[in-house]
Amino acid sequence: DPRGQSRAARGKLKVNFAETEAAVKRFGVGESGKEVVWLKGLFRDSLPLQPFSNGLAIIRLDGDLYESTHSAITLLWPKLSPGGYVIVDDYGTWKGCRTAIDEFRNQDSVRDCVSPLKRTDLTEYWFRRTC
């Protein structure tokens, strides 16, 4: 698959919810139940149902594959404030993730409103919304 969405890869990326919740709580986040809202399900299904207001300062994407990364950036971009950051985990290692971000950034409606991609480490890259 040219977008890097093999069945084998999808199976390896599945994470148990209890493990995820425990990992977040180790940092003291979500203890009161107010700081974290858990959205279960696929990004394309769960994100449109959330009452996010405009004005997000940071979007951190960890979708790994094309479809999940594309859905998340497409649904969250309109909520990101000018000057806000997009941090993309796995851009440097997962072809599907990289393709989704590159296609999104090259759209006519987005191209003039993004800063150059900058590398954080081997896998993570980031950019800013400029307008």
Side-chain angles (χ1 to χ4, degrees):
D1 176 296
R3 292 184 170 168
Q5 290 187 194
S6 72
R7 284 186 176 199
R10 283 188 295 237
K12 291 178 184 175
L13 299 173
K14 189 172 184 175
V15 177
N16 177 296
F17 176 74
E19 291 174 21
T20 303
E21 185 177 37
V24 170
K25 286 185 176 182
R26 278 195 297 270
F27 291 98
V29 177
E31 294 295 326
S32 71
K34 295 178 183 176
E35 300 95 351
V36 176
V37 176
W38 296 102
L39 307 178
K40 294 182 182 180
L42 301 175
F43 294 141
R44 70 170 182 244
D45 299 331
S46 60
L47 288 175
L49 302 176
Q50 301 311 310
F52 296 125
S53 62
N54 292 338
L56 295 176
I58 298 172
I59 298 172
R60 186 179 187 286
L61 305 176
D62 189 2
D64 301 321
L65 303 176
Y66 178 88
E67 183 180 352
S68 52
T69 302
H70 182 268
S71 294
I73 189 67
T74 300
L75 292 165
L76 293 173
W77 180 259
K79 309 288 187 186
L80 184 65
S81 295
Y85 291 85
V86 177
I87 303 166
V88 187
D89 189 41
D90 301 317
Y91 180 89
T93 53
W94 286 92
K95 181 180 179 183
C97 172
R98 185 172 43 256
T99 301
I101 293 298
D102 291 346
E103 286 178 3
F104 180 81
R105 288 172 49 87
N106 285 318
Q107 292 179 59
D108 288 341
S109 61
V110 176
R111 183 180 306 122
D112 294 334
C113 289
V114 293
S115 68
L117 273 166
K118 299 198 182 217
R119 184 176 177 174
T120 307
D121 60 28
L122 179 64
T123 64
E124 185 179 272
Y125 284 67
W126 64 274
F127 61 95
R128 292 184 78 179
R129 181 175 186 160
T130 59
C131 56

